Structure formats: structure tokens, C-alpha cells
Amino acid sequence: MYKKLGLLVFLFGVTLASTAQKVQITGFVKDSLGSPISMANVIAYKKLDNAMASYGITNDKGKYKISVPANETYILKVSFIGLTAETKSITISTNDEVIDFEMRSEENSLDEVEIVYEMPVVVKGDTLVYNTDSFVNGTEKKLGDVLEKLPGVEVNEDGEIEVEGKTVSKVMVEGKDFFDGDSKLATQNIPADALDKVEVLRNYDDVGQMRGLRNSQDQVAINIKLKEGKKNFWFGDITAGAGVGETERYIVKPKLFYYSPKYSVNVLTDINDIGEVPFTMRDYFNFTGGFRNLGSGGTSFSISTDDLAFATLQNNRANEINTKFGAANFNLMVNKKLDISGYGIASDNKVDLITNTRKVYVDDTQDPTDNTIEETFDNTMQRSTLGLLKLNASYRPSSSFRLDYDILGKLSEQKEEDAFLSTRSTVSEDINERLENSPFSIQQNMNAYYTLNTKHIFSLEARHLFQEEDPFYNAIRAEIPFRGVFTQINDPLLPGSDIFDPLEESESYSINQKKEVKTSKLDAKLDYYYVINKKSNLNLTFGSTLSTQNFDSSIFQILDNGNQNNFEADEFSNEVKYNFNDVYVGLHYKFIKGIFTFNPGVSVHNYDLKDQQLGTKITQNEWQVLPDLFVLAQLRQSESLRFNYSITAEYTDVNRLAAGYVFNNYNSLFQGNRNLENSLYDNYSINYFNFNMFSYTNIFAQLTYSNRRNPIKNTSMITGINRVDTPINSNVADQIFSANGSISRTFGKIKGGLNVNINRSAFNTIVNTLPSESISLTQTYKTEWSTNFKKGPNFDLGYSLTVNDYDNNGAENIFYTSQPFARLDWSFAKGFLLKSSYNYYEYRNTETTLNEYSFWDADLFYQKPDSKWEYKFSVTNVLDTKSINRDSFNELYSSTSSYVVQPRYWILSIKYNL
């Protein structure tokens, strides 16, 4: 490992050594009265060819600093809207220089505005405008490649855009939504050569009437401005390729875009079997459709989805992955008052997973030397067919009224078949599982905003969700399932009882579960804002959440002769109707005092709950008073400190209340508890942000703490590999603390950064009637350095270290994951481009290395200058790595899993650029 790390350091050192000698030019920019001018732009042009050599922006003291190559003559220009200054010429040797500027008013500042707009970065209030040509070097292929080179912008491992530590919630192109609800589709599909400007919209609120009234500090959007040649014309690319590995491979990716002032169309397709998954099951469940969270005055009541423990991809890697994906997005301006937009997404993924897992279970004796060990070899075949359709209309008849309506439909069909061998002690058992689910949901959103006058503003927001799920589970085992398990309905002092007493003896035991969950949930709130003056307003809120859920399930046995053995006992079936109603009123007062913005508030809730099952009805009616506080300290234009405090009341949905058994998987059952009470969470957070345009330094830090009173926790009964979980309200609080921060800075053509994430959680549960405390401390440290030269190779080098420290009742386990990585972009000869990435993983504990592996991918491009045709030769998994592994630990077991991954592929593809 250290040799590999040394090689990365050597490559980076070579790159640094190749950097030309730089000289610094510093100075101050002031007005005619001697007052400093902040955010003025200073540009150095080479006198020989008028090419821009460097640029800078003055800080709050009017100081600027730029670096230029030595032994050249430069023209220095300074610009600021409404002011002008004399242009200066200076010949630089090898010594640093100091040049000051004095700016004066001018009558016509239109030319200055044009100069400012062409600056690499311009700050306009809460908007950062990046001129992408100032940051790219010509090797970029997609939007994500460009964003990674912009100061203060990151693209995470999932392809999502992050700014100031916050995930971008909306991506627009020319002001029009691009698949509202997911930034991943934008980063991986919009071509880099179409970009002109990238606008980062901080504190974003797409409703003009509400700007400044709501706390939108966590809302970030990005708007892409296209080059002139990409407007009113179809653009995009069509890619097709084939290759070989152990079998033949293929890839087809047409992508088309059209933008005009009145309408836009985007069409994305991706068909391949090389492991590139543009839209996963995780993306489907997380896809919000761009619906903004209404909030509910401190109540947390979320409708859960049943994924039946479907297997998930490990970093898009598996033994075999076959993908078909298609999506279309449109925006139409019907007239000046009405806009219509929408999209459709369809995806069909087939996945073959081969997994070896070793689990060490906590035995009921709690003797660490006498634990049950299970080893499984699992072959999983999975198919997920996913579909989404969204339509949106926005009607704005006047500046004082706006009406928005959205409807989002989601439909999927998921199937999974597992065949695996389970070995423990003296038992070796073949087990087969079959999982099916076809969830369906329709979500409607209606928002109306009305401004009576400058003092009185009204907002009505309503959302309705209808959701249906019908998961089916089947397990076929040679052994009687859940034999000898302690249960909640049996005396835990009498071990050895069987849960499935109604089982009829058979050569193999086929246990089945049907389940159906229907949900109807309506959220609505009416806000009235009284604007006292420019620095203060009152907000009165009336809101409600009304939910009805029906939960039905049954467990039965299919006999060898095909007959069905229905289990009649109450514990094997559920028929539950659950109503949750929350009616509340809230009051907030927002005011600005100097650099501080205060927004204290309180909400009063009446909760009414009804649970009908087992022939009886249980009702609850209670009141809660939930305060919250928001404080913002705007230290400077691009530096702030933010504090949030709130009390959240968490209520469970029907899935935790159903008293009958429900399968999680072949060795895990869940039994609900209809007597659950709500939990109260005390939430604290502090956020610090500083984006220094003077030095291109971006700093973000966050501290959060949550104290969970009366939390809903699972009490677990476990014998051998079998477990039964039941939720209860714990009288011991859970505590979660997290700290994360990042700092990045650009030094000329070199960008460096450091990220730190620390999370500590302390959970208290009950295992086999005994209290159990589980403490988890996860630390991740990552540094990354990249170059961005116009000529020659560019490197991206980094190192990541993750430390997982698990402590369960004093039994401590520590695991380390080390990951050095490197990426190369090298444009050479005429039209050739080499892009390559290498990742090395070492997984170890305190004593020895448990596993190590690496991945190396390489792409060679050729495109003749000014040609529309591009040729690409790719090699995936160059080292032909066979497997990767993942480890986890909880209060019931620790596990180590090894996943077989796709072998080396050689792909030749051709792309035609429209």
C-alpha cells in the first residue's frame, strides 16, 4: 500500500515541478474618498496577445492579489459597476509588485457591466456566476466534470451536486427545470461543451413573493446558461459501442436537447450491460419530483415504504448488470401567464449478485466466546422495472397572484429470487427466497400565493399522497423456521417453544406472506405574513396532517401436495386501520438587528390517533407545544454563522403498530406494538460558511446534536440465527452527535481540499430481556488535490481514511478503510485524450489486513479537430478484480460480505455530436 501511495505523491510532485515561476501582484482598490471597494474585479492581460493571464476580486478591505508568470508585460484593468479606473501597464520581472487603483464615477457604465460579466466569477447578492471557459481545460465531457473544477462546488460519489455542504435541490437550464428532483441526471448527461455560465443560486426560493419571508438558507439551485450556438438548435450526442470480456458487451446512448425561449425538450436514453446504472432503485425511492417539504410545525410523521430487504448494488458493482433507461423532459411557455412542464422516466435493471457472508450473532447467553456463526453463499437474481411521470402547471396572471399544480405518479415492479446455502454449527441448509413488490403512488401538490399589498401576503400549500404496496414474501427451508426462539407472546423463561406451531410436517417448509398497505395522506397549511417593515415580519400558520392507513397481512404454508395451510391464530395475520390527525397553529416573528436575523417561533398541536385491530379500538388525544429558533449572523457578504434549535415530535405510521408477525427475511420476524407513544427530539445545529473570493477559499463547518427522549426502539429476542423484534418506547434517551467540515482552496491552477466527517451515536436497546448499549463512532478524513493546466497531463490525487469504532456492551470492534486514489486527464498529439482512474482499498482491523483490492479504468478518446465524430476505446476493471467486500456491525451481529464484481471489459464506441 505504501508503495502505491508513494507513487501518487511522486506523480503529484512532478506536476507541481512543471509549474512555471509565478510573481504576485497585490494592491488596493479605493474610491476617490479613499474608501475601500469590495468585490471589484482585477484582470491581468498579456500585452503581447491580449490573452487573460490572471484575475482576482477585492476583499472587504479593497485588497486584491493575483499571480502571473514572470518576465512578461501586462495590462491591468479594474472594473466595478458604475465606476471606472485608469488602465495600467506593467512589466514584471521576478519580483512581486504592488499596484493600487482609484475608481471614480462615470455616467455610462454599460461597458463596465460587460467586463464584469466576463469575469471568471461574479457575485450578485446570493448568486455566484461562473464563466465556465475560465475553469475548463478541454478534457471535460459532462456537466459533472465542469462543476468539479468550480470553487465551492462539489459532485459527490452519487453524482449529486453539493454547494456549501448542501445538496442542490433543483437544476435548471436556461431557467427551465431539468428533471426536477434529481441533480444526478444533469451531471451525468448535459454535455460540457454546451455550457457558457453556471449560476449558483443560494437561499433559493422560486416564488418571488416569498423571498425574504421564509428561511431558505438550506435551499440551493443551479441554473445552466448555454452558449449561443446551442440555443434554438438541437444539440447532444449519439453513442453506440460494443466490446468483449468473458462475453460480448454493448452500449447505446442517444441524448438530445433543444432549448428556445418558448419551449425546451430533453431526451435521454442509456442501454448497456457494462455496469453503468443511470437510475437505480435507490434513485427511484429518493426521487422527490422537486416537491418542497411543507413542514408541519415540528411534527415528524413519515410514510415508510416496504423494500422487503431487496439486495442493493455495491457502488454499481455486481456479477452482472443489464440496464435499459429512457427519460424525456419538456417545458412549454403557453403564454406570459401560463407555463407547463413535465417529464417521464422508465428504467429496467437486471442484476445478478453473488455474495459470500459471514455473520457472528450475539448469543442469548451474551458470552462472546459462545456466539453462533453463520456462513452463507448467496446467488441473487433481481429485476426492477421503474416508472415515473410528472406534470406541472404554473399560472401567474399578475405579480400579486401565483398558482402552481403538480402531479407525480410512481409505479414499479420488483422481483428477486435468492438461492443460498446457510451453514452454521452442524447444520447445512439450502434456502430459497422469493420477493415481489409492485408499489404505486400518486402525489398531488397545489400551492397558491397572493399578495394583498406590501403589508399582507398569503400562502396556501396542500399536498395529497395516495400509495399502495403489495409485497409478497416466500421462503423455502429444509428446517422448521424459528425453532426454539424466545418470543414476546411466550414466556421468555421457557425457551424451546416454536413460533410456527401450526406448521404441518413436510419434506421442505414453504412459508409465505402476503401484505397490502394503502395510504391516503393530506398535508395542508395556510400562512399569513404581516410585513411590519423591511426588517421584520410576523408569520401566522394554520395547518393539518390527515392520514388514513389500512394494513393487511397473512402468513401461510404451501404443502408438498400444493394445498395451502392457513394460520388462523391472531399472531400470524394483521387487519389494521390507523388514523393519524394533527391540527396545529404556529406563530413566528422574524426580525433583523444589525448583522443578526432572528426568527423565534412556537407551534401548538392537537394529535388524534385511532388504531383498530384485533377487534378493538385504541384512541389517543394529546396536546404538544413545540418551540423552534433560527438565528443567522451575516458576518460578511459571503460569510455567515447559523444556529437552529427545534423540538420535533415523532409519530410512527401503521407499520410499527401491527401486532401480528411480519417477515423481514428468512431468520427475522417483526411484531408491532399498538401501544407506542410519540418520541420528542431536541435538535441543535450550528453552521458556518465562508467563501473568500479574494483567495478562492471555501470553508464550511457544521455541528449537530440530537437528544431523543422516549425514543421508539426495537427490543430483540434472539436464539442462534433467529430473531424477533418488537418496538417499544425506551426510557433511556438516544444521543446522536455529528461534526463535518470542509475547506478547499485554489492556488493558481491547483485546487486542494480537506473533508472531515465525524458521527457518534449512542443507542440503548433490549436484547433477550437485558439492556444493551450500542455506541458507534464513525470518522472519515479525505484530502484531494487536482491540477487544471491547459496543456500537459492533469492529475487528481487523494487519500481517504474511514475509521469505524463499534462498542456493544464493552465489546469493541475497530475497522479501518484506507483508500488512496488517482485520476489522469491527458490531452496529447492532435485530438487524443486519455482519461484514467485508479482506486485502491485496504480494509483491516487493529490486528491484520482483512481484504485489499483495487479498481483501474481507462478511456482513450480520439476526435479530429472540428469533427463531429469521436472514437473511444475503454477498458473497465483493468486489473480484473474479482470481488469487493463490505462489513457492518450492530447490537445483534457483525457481518463480513464479499461481492463478486464484473470482470474486465474492452469496449470500442463511436459518438456523433449533433
Side-chain angles (χ1 to χ4, degrees):
M1 170 189 167
Y2 296 105
K3 292 181 179 179
K4 295 180 176 66
L5 186 59
L7 177 61
L8 299 183
V9 174
F10 171 75
L11 291 174
F12 191 66
V14 170
T15 304
L16 292 178
S18 65
T19 306
Q21 181 181 357
K22 296 283 187 176
V23 174
Q24 285 191 352
I25 303 176
T26 60
F28 290 88
V29 178
K30 299 181 179 181
D31 61 18
S32 58
L33 300 177
S35 301
I37 297 177
S38 174
M39 310 307 290
N41 304 309
V42 182
I43 314 176
Y45 297 93
K46 288 185 179 180
K47 188 173 184 180
L48 181 63
D49 56 7
N50 205 35
M52 187 178 71
S54 186
Y55 60 89
I57 298 177
T58 58
N59 63 11
D60 56 336
K61 297 179 181 179
K63 184 178 181 181
Y64 73 91
K65 178 173 63 176
I66 58 177
S67 297
V68 296
N71 303 311
E72 291 274 0
T73 299
Y74 297 96
I75 302 297
L76 296 184
K77 294 184 179 181
V78 59
S79 60
F80 191 80
I81 296 177
L83 300 176
T84 185
E86 180 184 352
T87 298
K88 297 186 179 183
S89 176
I90 181 173
T91 299
I92 298 295
S93 58
T94 57
N95 298 320
D96 294 342
E97 296 284 348
V98 177
I99 304 293
D100 296 330
F101 290 89
E102 180 182 305
M103 304 199 76
R104 296 180 179 274
S105 300
E106 66 171 6
E107 294 182 1
N108 188 349
S109 62
L110 292 179
D111 292 339
E112 295 300 327
V113 174
E114 180 64 22
I115 292 175
V116 171
Y117 192 68
E118 292 304 316
M119 277 293 293
V121 183
V122 177
V123 180
K124 298 179 179 180
D126 286 328
T127 301
L128 297 178
V129 183
Y130 295 90
N131 178 20
T132 59
D133 287 342
S134 302
F135 297 94
V136 299
N137 57 36
T139 65
E140 300 79 15
K141 296 298 179 181
K142 300 299 178 186
L143 171 64
D145 300 329
V146 176
L147 294 178
E148 289 178 335
K149 296 179 179 178
L150 305 183
V153 182
E154 302 289 340
V155 179
N156 63 28
E157 294 181 354
D158 295 323
E160 297 176 326
I161 308 169
E162 294 182 349
V163 176
E164 304 169 17
K166 298 184 283 287
T167 301
V168 169
S169 57
K170 181 189 287 285
V171 175
M172 297 173 287
V173 179
E174 292 293 330
K176 298 176 174 63
D177 291 347
F178 187 88
F179 291 97
D180 200 8
D182 191 335
S183 59
K184 173 183 173 181
L185 291 179
T187 60
Q188 297 182 349
N189 290 283
I190 297 177
D193 60 4
L195 275 61
D196 181 36
K197 303 285 190 299
V198 173
E199 298 177 342
V200 176
L201 312 173
R202 299 177 295 175
N203 303 330
Y204 178 74
D205 198 320
D206 60 351
V207 182
Q209 296 144 285
M210 307 306 295
R211 289 173 189 161
L213 298 178
R214 299 189 289 207
N215 298 325
S216 56
Q217 280 73 18
D218 288 329
Q219 300 293 324
V220 181
I222 281 185
N223 182 43
I224 307 299
K225 305 290 289 185
L226 300 175
K227 293 180 177 177
E228 288 301 323
K230 302 298 182 181
K231 300 175 185 178
N232 298 308
F233 291 97
W234 283 98
F235 69 93
D237 53 69
I238 300 174
T239 302
V244 295
E246 294 182 352
T247 58
E248 295 183 357
R249 298 289 153 179
Y250 61 87
I251 179 172
V252 180
K253 294 184 177 183
K255 298 171 184 177
L256 305 174
F257 308 86
Y258 184 88
Y259 281 88
S260 72
K262 288 193 174 182
Y263 68 92
S264 68
V265 178
N266 306 290
V267 180
L268 310 176
T269 57
D270 193 336
I271 303 172
N272 74 82
D273 64 351
I274 62 173
E276 296 181 358
V277 185
F279 199 74
T280 65
M281 193 186 306
R282 175 182 175 273
D283 296 328
Y284 169 82
F285 282 114
N286 291 339
F287 208 86
T288 63
F291 288 169
R292 191 175 62 84
N293 186 11
L294 290 185
S296 53
T299 300
S300 173
F301 177 74
S302 300
I303 304 299
S304 59
T305 57
D306 191 335
D307 60 4
L308 274 177
F310 278 94
T312 56
L313 292 178
Q314 307 304 310
N315 299 322
N316 283 358
R317 304 186 192 275
N319 181 55
E320 187 77 22
I321 305 176
N322 191 303
T323 292
K324 294 181 176 66
F325 170 79
N329 171 226
F330 79 93
N331 290 268
L332 174 64
M333 187 176 72
V334 179
N335 52 50
K336 293 183 179 180
K337 298 180 180 180
L338 178 63
D339 291 334
I340 298 175
S341 62
Y343 59 76
I345 298 175
S347 175
D348 185 12
N349 295 328
K350 298 178 182 177
V351 180
D352 177 17
L353 288 162
I354 297 178
T355 310
N356 289 292
T357 302
R358 185 177 190 270
K359 289 184 178 180
V360 179
Y361 292 85
V362 176
D363 194 81
D364 58 289
T365 62
Q366 296 201 350
D367 181 357
T369 65
D370 188 26
N371 291 328
T372 300
I373 298 176
E374 180 189 27
E375 295 186 352
T376 61
F377 175 79
D378 188 356
N379 190 341
T380 300
M381 304 296 294
Q382 183 185 94
R383 181 170 184 176
S384 301
T385 304
L386 314 171
L388 300 94
L389 180 65
K390 181 188 177 185
L391 294 174
N392 164 262
S394 182
Y395 179 60
R396 296 181 292 270
S398 67
S399 60
S400 62
F401 181 72
R402 170 172 172 165
L403 178 65
D404 296 334
Y405 174 76
D406 305 85
I407 181 170
L408 173 66
K410 301 173 71 173
L411 174 66
S412 70
E413 184 176 5
Q414 304 155 43
K415 295 182 179 180
E416 179 175 302
E417 293 187 1
D418 300 337
F420 59 97
L421 176 67
S422 171
T423 303
R424 65 267 182 191
S425 186
T426 59
V427 178
S428 181
E429 181 183 11
D430 288 317
I431 301 176
N432 291 275
E433 287 184 308
R434 180 163 59 94
L435 298 78
E436 297 179 1
N437 197 7
S438 300
F440 166 75
S441 69
I442 292 180
Q443 189 163 309
Q444 299 179 80
N445 201 55
M446 190 278 289
N447 300 329
Y449 307 95
Y450 176 64
T451 302
L452 180 63
N453 52 47
T454 57
K455 292 286 187 180
H456 307 284
I457 300 173
F458 297 87
S459 166
L460 174 63
E461 299 173 300
R463 180 182 304 167
H464 180 258
L465 169 68
F466 177 78
Q467 177 176 290
E468 250 186 41
E469 293 181 291
D470 60 347
F472 175 81
Y473 177 81
N474 167 251
I476 300 177
R477 301 183 56 177
E479 302 289 329
I480 295 178
F482 297 93
R483 165 149 280 183
V485 178
F486 302 146
T487 71
Q488 300 302 301
I489 60 173
N490 294 315
D491 188 346
L493 300 178
L494 298 174
S497 59
D498 290 342
I499 288 180
F500 290 102
D501 286 333
L503 275 178
E504 294 187 18
E505 192 166 332
S506 179
E507 291 186 9
S508 63
Y509 295 91
S510 176
I511 308 299
N512 303 266
Q513 174 180 269
K514 288 182 178 180
K515 188 164 70 168
E516 186 176 275
V517 184
K518 292 183 179 180
T519 299
S520 177
K521 179 171 177 275
L522 174 65
D523 294 283
K525 69 170 185 172
L526 173 65
D527 282 292
Y528 164 66
Y529 294 90
Y530 174 62
V531 181
I532 301 172
N533 52 49
K534 292 183 178 180
K535 293 189 175 183
S536 62
N537 67 72
L538 281 172
N539 171 215
L540 182 63
T541 303
F542 299 93
S544 66
T545 296
L546 309 175
S547 173
T548 298
Q549 291 183 287
N550 292 297
F551 183 104
D552 295 287
S553 71
S554 61
I555 298 176
F556 57 93
Q557 177 188 10
I558 298 297
L559 303 175
D560 294 337
N561 59 10
N563 292 334
Q564 182 169 312
N565 174 25
N566 295 314
F567 300 165
E568 301 296 338
D570 289 340
E571 61 264 28
F572 297 109
S573 63
N574 287 288
E575 187 174 346
V576 186
K577 183 176 182 180
Y578 177 56
N579 294 328
F580 172 86
N581 297 329
D582 171 23
V583 178
Y584 63 93
V585 59
L587 179 65
H588 288 79
Y589 175 49
K590 185 176 183 179
F591 63 96
I592 300 174
K593 191 72 173 178
I595 65 171
F596 293 97
T597 299
F598 298 91
N599 193 3
V602 65
S603 58
V604 180
H605 298 251
N606 176 252
Y607 298 101
D608 186 64
L609 290 68
K610 295 180 181 179
D611 167 21
Q612 301 179 60
Q613 59 178 310
L614 302 175
T616 60
K617 179 190 296 185
I618 293 180
T619 62
Q620 296 182 49
N621 189 283
E622 58 187 355
W623 293 83
Q624 294 279 2
V625 178
L626 305 175
D628 60 89
L629 173 65
F630 169 85
V631 180
L632 170 66
Q634 195 68 47
L635 307 177
R636 288 184 296 180
Q637 182 177 12
S638 56
E639 182 181 17
S640 63
L641 185 66
R642 186 156 42 99
F643 172 77
N644 278 282
Y645 167 72
S646 65
I647 295 181
T648 301
E650 183 195 47
Y651 285 83
T652 185
D653 72 345
V654 72
N655 288 278
R656 284 178 166 178
L657 301 174
Y661 288 122
V662 175
F663 268 104
N664 288 326
N665 54 46
Y666 70 97
N667 66 340
S668 176
L669 285 173
F670 183 85
Q671 187 178 34
N673 179 3
R674 63 187 306 194
N675 296 310
L676 291 176
E677 300 176 350
N678 69 284
S679 305
L680 290 177
Y681 293 177
D682 298 293
N683 305 301
Y684 305 82
S685 70
I686 299 177
N687 294 266
Y688 173 77
F689 165 70
N690 184 0
F691 185 34
N692 190 330
M693 297 292 295
F694 175 66
S695 60
Y696 280 108
T697 301
N698 185 72
I699 303 174
F700 172 76
Q702 181 182 57
L703 298 175
T704 63
Y705 172 74
S706 177
N707 182 62
R708 302 184 172 185
R709 293 177 275 156
N710 199 35
I712 300 174
K713 304 305 301 287
N714 284 342
T715 174
S716 301
M717 310 302 296
I718 181 168
T719 299
I721 67 169
N722 298 310
R723 58 184 284 191
V724 178
D725 296 327
T726 299
I728 61 170
N729 287 102
S730 173
N731 57 6
V732 181
D734 289 339
Q735 297 182 342
I736 299 176
F737 170 80
S738 67
N740 62 83
S742 65
I743 179 171
S744 63
R745 181 168 179 175
T746 301
F747 304 87
K749 298 297 183 180
I750 300 173
K751 179 182 178 182
L754 173 67
N755 293 274
V756 177
N757 288 277
I758 300 173
N759 184 283
R760 184 186 186 276
S761 59
F763 296 123
N764 296 274
T765 58
I766 297 176
V767 178
N768 292 344
T769 71
L770 298 177
S772 174
E773 183 183 34
S774 178
I775 298 176
S776 171
L777 176 62
T778 300
Q779 306 167 68
T780 300
Y781 306 93
K782 179 181 178 181
T783 183
E784 186 171 359
W785 295 81
S786 60
T787 64
N788 191 22
F789 299 107
K790 292 288 185 180
K791 297 181 180 179
N794 283 293
F795 293 95
D796 186 356
L797 307 175
Y799 178 78
S800 174
L801 173 65
T802 300
V803 182
N804 289 317
D805 187 348
Y806 304 107
D807 187 336
N808 180 42
N809 288 327
E812 188 174 18
N813 293 269
I814 304 177
F815 302 96
Y816 304 87
T817 302
S818 302
Q819 182 194 354
F821 57 89
R823 285 183 283 273
L824 167 68
D825 286 358
W826 185 13
S827 181
F828 61 95
K830 286 188 177 180
F832 285 94
L833 170 63
L834 176 63
K835 298 175 77 72
S836 184
S837 63
Y838 175 79
N839 291 268
Y840 171 80
Y841 300 85
E842 182 193 44
Y843 183 81
R844 59 188 174 88
N845 57 20
T846 55
E847 298 176 352
T848 184
T849 297
L850 302 175
N851 194 16
E852 58 180 333
Y853 51 90
S854 56
F855 282 96
W856 181 18
D857 297 322
D859 300 312
L860 178 64
F861 301 84
Y862 174 72
Q863 185 173 13
K864 188 178 179 180
D866 301 321
S867 173
K868 292 182 176 294
W869 294 93
E870 178 186 87
Y871 305 90
K872 175 183 174 183
F873 179 70
S874 304
V875 185
T876 63
N877 193 4
V878 175
L879 302 176
D880 204 20
T881 298
K882 301 299 183 182
S883 65
I884 61 176
N885 77 313
R886 184 181 68 176
D887 297 83
S888 63
F889 180 86
N890 58 39
E891 67 275 13
L892 299 177
Y893 63 83
S894 61
S895 70
T896 300
S897 299
S898 175
Y899 302 86
V900 175
V901 299
Q902 288 180 299
R904 178 170 49 228
Y905 297 145
W906 310 80
I907 309 291
L908 177 62
S909 59
I910 302 174
K911 182 171 73 173
Y912 178 75
N913 296 287
L914 299 179

